[in-house]
Amino acid sequence: MNLGHMDRYAKSLMKEAGHKIRISFFKQIDIDSKADANDLVTNIDREVEQFFISRIQRDFPEHKILGEEGFGDDIQTLDGVIWMLDPIDGTMNFVHQKRNFAISLGIYVDGVGMLGYIYDVMREDFYSAAKGEGAYLNDERLPQLEITPLEQAVIGISASWIAPNRFVDNEKMIELVQRCRGTRSYGSAAIELAYVAAGRIDAYISMRLSPWDIAGGMVIAQEVGAVTTNMKGQAPHLLGQEPFIVARPGLHHDILTNYIRLKE
Ligand code: IPD
Ligand code: CA
Ligand code: CA
């Protein structure tokens, strides 16, 4: 397997898809909902996923594809090469704001993340990493993350997890919000992972993420020393939805042991 070739190929595919999304604002965008009225999907999410899949199937026929919109393969195990794709992460932002969304792609070999990409399409910020070779924002290498105490940390978290919810003890989350320096919520898990990797926020927490939300970002974040786990401190299993945390080392342990109380 030629990872260098796959890396160049994936980067150019991401850029081409980003261009398609930018010009989509000049044509009709049809908005549907999926699991509930606020779970949005558009014709552009579907078209971009189909674009990736047709290219990958043509040029890497032995690889499998896990895509959010369901045009890829039915993935039951992580064996072999799997491209994990979210064609638009942050569809609500895509629809409402026309910014703050990203294409997210992770390429995994037998369950190990080898290549990761997040493309913040409107800012044209391209985050990428190859396992063991560091992470980049465009052409600049991202530095290793240093330890930051909670009192100086900015945490990416949605208000959903501070309000009473079925996943986690929200009183402990209130405590977390009160102790940290500040909170942010960008509405795209991929962008929040990229921001942790770039040192713009210090942690990101969500109680319900899917493999395509985190696959690309995990490769990038790990390259700068961020810790990426589920809320039990284990590696995410990448075969279904799970609670997820990415944070600087030290801070990850502090948040997990002192503030996260799962309900189940
Ligand atoms: C969503 C975004 C959002 C996160 C949701 C995801 P989508 O992805 O990443 O920030 O809170 O859990 O489902 O649906 O826009 O691809
Ligand atoms: Ca997503
Ligand atoms: Ca999506």
Side-chain angles (χ1 to χ4, degrees):
M1 185 181 320
N2 184 339
L3 280 174
H5 168 62
M6 280 161 63
D7 182 38
R8 289 186 295 278
Y9 183 95
K11 280 177 175 152
S12 100
L13 210 54
M14 296 279 292
K15 297 271 173 73
E16 201 177 331
H19 178 70
K20 282 181 187 296
I21 296 176
R22 280 191 298 272
I23 60 174
S24 76
F25 290 123
F26 297 105
K27 61 179 196 182
Q28 167 88 16
I29 298 180
D30 303 320
I31 304 158
D32 288 331
S33 54
K34 294 192 282 188
D36 61 65
N38 300 324
D39 183 10
L40 306 181
V41 63
T42 72
N43 53 323
I44 312 302
D45 298 65
R46 297 192 178 108
E47 283 168 25
V48 171
E49 179 161 317
Q50 283 167 323
F51 163 73
F52 271 92
I53 289 174
S54 63
R55 287 292 181 85
I56 298 164
Q57 283 176 343
R58 187 190 71 188
D59 296 326
F60 299 94
E62 67 286 11
H63 295 180
K64 288 178 278 179
I65 306 149
L66 175 65
E68 170 165 26
E69 307 312 336
F71 298 107
D73 298 289
D74 179 19
I75 303 289
Q76 302 293 340
T77 80
L78 296 180
D79 296 343
V81 183
I82 307 182
W83 298 56
M84 298 192 193
L85 170 73
D86 193 336
I88 298 182
D89 183 60
T91 298
M92 196 184 289
N93 290 346
F94 173 70
V95 169
H96 285 258
Q97 306 182 334
K98 296 189 165 52
R99 71 199 73 207
N100 298 325
F101 58 86
I103 306 171
S104 174
L105 175 66
I107 304 179
Y108 282 62
V109 179
D110 295 330
V112 179
M114 301 304 291
L115 300 167
Y117 311 95
I118 294 171
Y119 189 20
D120 180 336
V121 166
M122 302 312 283
R123 286 196 185 87
E124 297 193 58
D125 278 345
F126 195 93
Y127 302 84
S128 64
K131 185 176 168 55
E133 290 175 23
Y136 289 80
L137 165 52
N138 299 320
D139 294 328
E140 275 183 41
R141 192 172 172 134
L142 294 171
Q144 289 292 305
L145 298 175
E146 283 166 13
I147 288 175
T148 299
L150 181 60
E151 290 68 26
Q152 291 171 23
V154 180
I155 297 182
I157 187 167
S158 154
S160 313
W161 316 125
I162 315 302
N165 67 83
R166 65 193 168 94
F167 295 96
V168 75
D169 175 356
N170 73 304
E171 296 294 334
K172 293 298 284 181
M173 301 308 276
I174 292 172
E175 246 179 72
L176 175 67
V177 168
Q178 286 168 335
R179 295 256 168 91
C180 71
R181 177 166 280 172
T183 59
R184 296 290 181 272
S185 183
Y186 295 96
S188 157
I191 288 181
E192 289 172 277
L193 262 150
Y195 281 12
V196 171
R200 297 183 191 142
I201 56 176
D202 303 293
Y204 167 63
I205 296 168
S206 177
M207 298 309 148
R208 205 177 41 181
L209 290 180
S210 298
W212 44 78
D213 296 318
I214 57 176
M218 283 209 301
V219 180
I220 298 167
Q222 284 167 8
E223 281 303 309
V224 291
V227 187
T228 58
T229 67
N230 65 19
M231 294 304 182
K232 293 176 180 151
Q234 306 152 336
H237 57 60
L238 294 174
L239 287 169
Q241 284 194 335
E242 236 183 333
F244 177 74
I245 173 170
V246 53
R248 289 175 187 255
L251 185 61
H252 174 274
H253 183 258
D254 186 13
I255 295 174
L256 214 53
T257 49
N258 298 316
Y259 300 95
I260 303 290
R261 298 286 178 270
L262 293 179
K263 282 187 173 168
E264 15 84 90

